[in-house]
Amino acid sequence: MLQIQENMQILSNLTSKFPTFLLAGIPGLESAHVWISIPFCCLYTTALSGNSMILFVIITQKSLHEPMYYFLSMLSAADLGLTVSTMSTTLSILWFDAIEINLDTCIIQMFFLHGFTFIESGVLVAMAFDRYVAICDPLRYTTLLTNSRIIQMGLLMTIRTLVLVVPPLLLLKPLYFCRTNVLSHSYCYHPDVIKLACSDTWANSICGLIDLILTTGIDTPCIILSYILIIHSVLSIASPEERHKVFNTCISHIGAVAVFYIPMMSLSLVHRYGPSAPKIVHSMMANIYLLLPPVLNPIIYSVKTKQIRKAIYSVFSLQNKQMIA
């Protein structure tokens, strides 16, 4: 009996139900964190200003009140959410070496981080459907993608996100965590947190697998199927100029899909098959995964979409006229 009590005491000393996690900066470069914060600040500023500008021009310019641009505004809103959800912890580490975060704060951050990630994935599917209807069934475009239907699609994405994100996070609360709770990234990431639990995580793993199947497992095939049908439709067009023109309308979306899914899959592979990889690889992949889409999406759509370019130019030219006046 005494031995059992001693074992329980040792276990309680080694584990905690209310842990404090230690976030990671850039491993091996801690002394240069202040200098590393400069490019990070530039990237965060680019992401915030770029996505805010996209949202602003879509809201204010009536010529952009069309389904394609409504979906683009959802994408920009998701990118803003992703940027804000990680910016505070990342810059706190780089500026103030504030690496501690408690479980409740960690769960809140994961709610927004994973939530906006799932929403962005859903928006990319909606945009693929938009391109499919516009190219393969243009006569029904206005009847299929009405304002009410776009609102319904947005609500469906939000409900799906809440249903998938909340259960895995609630299941973290009963877990016991080992005392050495050092995370791999500058933010809380669910697979990273789960690895530190000392108690059984079977239910958490099942929830994570279901989430993966119902997001990436469904969204990726839907996007691929849309483009298979688009390519089949485009190849039936006789004129090479018309083919090129139609394909050009998809370039921005293909770019957005690439900058979202490639870093996400790379980070998943690093977590699953690269435990022996240098810590700096984990850290850089994690930062690329969340910073690349918000930074590049506004640039891609501004460069490749003529209507967005015109709208941004008209906003700036109007401001210049007002300043001169």
Side-chain angles (χ1 to χ4, degrees):
M1 186 68 181
L2 184 61
Q3 183 65 38
I4 293 172
Q5 286 178 345
E6 287 177 357
N7 289 339
M8 291 295 290
Q9 183 65 36
I10 291 168
L11 184 63
S12 66
N13 289 335
L14 292 173
T15 62
S16 172
K17 202 172 183 181
F18 307 100
T20 297
F21 297 102
L22 301 179
L23 299 167
I26 310 296
L29 298 172
E30 287 82 2
S31 59
H33 272 178
V34 174
W35 296 106
I36 293 169
S37 71
I38 295 171
F40 272 89
C41 285
C42 292
L43 290 171
Y44 281 125
T45 303
T46 303
L48 292 172
S49 58
N51 286 292
S52 297
M53 175 57 72
I54 295 286
L55 272 175
F56 179 75
V57 296
I58 291 173
I59 291 168
T60 57
Q61 302 293 308
K62 288 186 178 180
S63 61
L64 299 180
H65 291 179
E66 296 177 11
M68 175 183 171
Y69 303 110
Y70 289 145
F71 291 130
L72 178 55
S73 67
M74 293 181 195
L75 186 70
S76 292
D79 281 337
L80 280 172
L82 271 178
T83 304
V84 172
S85 65
T86 60
M87 184 173 66
S88 58
T89 52
T90 302
L91 293 182
S92 294
I93 292 167
L94 296 176
W95 286 344
F96 311 113
D97 199 29
I99 60 172
E100 292 189 357
I101 185 169
N102 61 46
L103 179 61
D104 290 335
T105 308
C106 205
I107 287 173
I108 291 168
Q109 185 178 48
M110 284 189 287
F111 173 79
F112 288 107
L113 190 154
H114 292 291
F116 283 118
T117 302
F118 290 169
I119 287 173
E120 182 150 347
S121 181
V123 172
L124 290 172
V125 175
M127 294 174 90
F129 178 69
D130 170 82
R131 290 299 84 208
Y132 162 73
V133 176
I135 293 167
C136 300
D137 199 0
L139 296 178
R140 297 180 63 201
Y141 184 78
T142 52
T143 55
L144 283 174
L145 290 170
T146 59
N147 288 346
S148 60
R149 193 154 291 165
I150 291 167
I151 291 168
Q152 288 170 2
M153 291 168 78
L155 287 172
L156 186 63
M157 289 175 216
T158 306
I159 291 166
R160 181 185 78 159
T161 296
L162 291 172
V163 168
L164 294 179
V165 169
V166 171
L169 298 182
L170 291 178
L171 287 171
L172 287 173
K173 292 293 286 182
L175 296 180
Y176 282 88
F177 291 87
C178 302
R179 289 291 184 185
T180 52
N181 295 321
V182 182
L183 297 170
S184 304
H185 314 311
S186 58
Y187 53 82
C188 293
Y189 182 60
H190 188 262
D192 200 24
V193 174
I194 284 296
K195 287 192 295 186
L196 300 175
C198 294
S199 46
D200 184 25
T201 59
W202 180 83
N204 304 75
S205 299
I206 292 296
C207 271
L209 180 62
I210 291 169
D211 282 7
L212 187 66
I213 291 168
L214 294 179
T215 52
T216 309
I218 290 176
D219 294 352
T220 308
C222 285
I223 292 170
I224 292 169
L225 178 62
S226 295
Y227 275 100
I228 289 171
L229 295 172
I230 287 169
I231 290 167
H232 181 266
S233 177
V234 170
L235 290 177
S236 65
I237 300 171
S239 168
E241 290 81 9
E242 283 295 315
R243 285 186 201 172
H244 183 263
K245 186 178 177 182
V246 171
F247 270 128
N248 258 348
T249 64
C250 301
I251 293 296
S252 299
H253 180 252
I254 292 169
V257 169
V259 300
F260 177 76
Y261 280 107
I262 291 173
M264 182 179 71
M265 290 176 180
S266 301
L267 182 63
S268 298
L269 289 172
V270 166
H271 267 280
R272 287 188 181 276
Y273 305 111
S276 59
K279 288 183 178 180
I280 195 168
V281 173
H282 286 261
S283 178
M284 294 309 296
M285 284 303 305
N287 287 310
I288 289 169
Y289 159 58
L290 287 183
L291 267 175
L292 204 64
V295 170
L296 290 184
N297 282 340
I299 297 171
I300 291 168
Y301 277 94
S302 299
V303 170
K304 296 301 296 181
T305 310
K306 187 179 178 182
Q307 291 85 344
I308 294 290
R309 280 204 313 274
K310 279 185 175 180
I312 292 171
Y313 176 76
S314 68
V315 167
F316 278 112
S317 61
L318 182 62
Q319 285 181 344
N320 287 335
K321 286 177 182 177
Q322 288 174 347
M323 287 174 68
I324 292 168

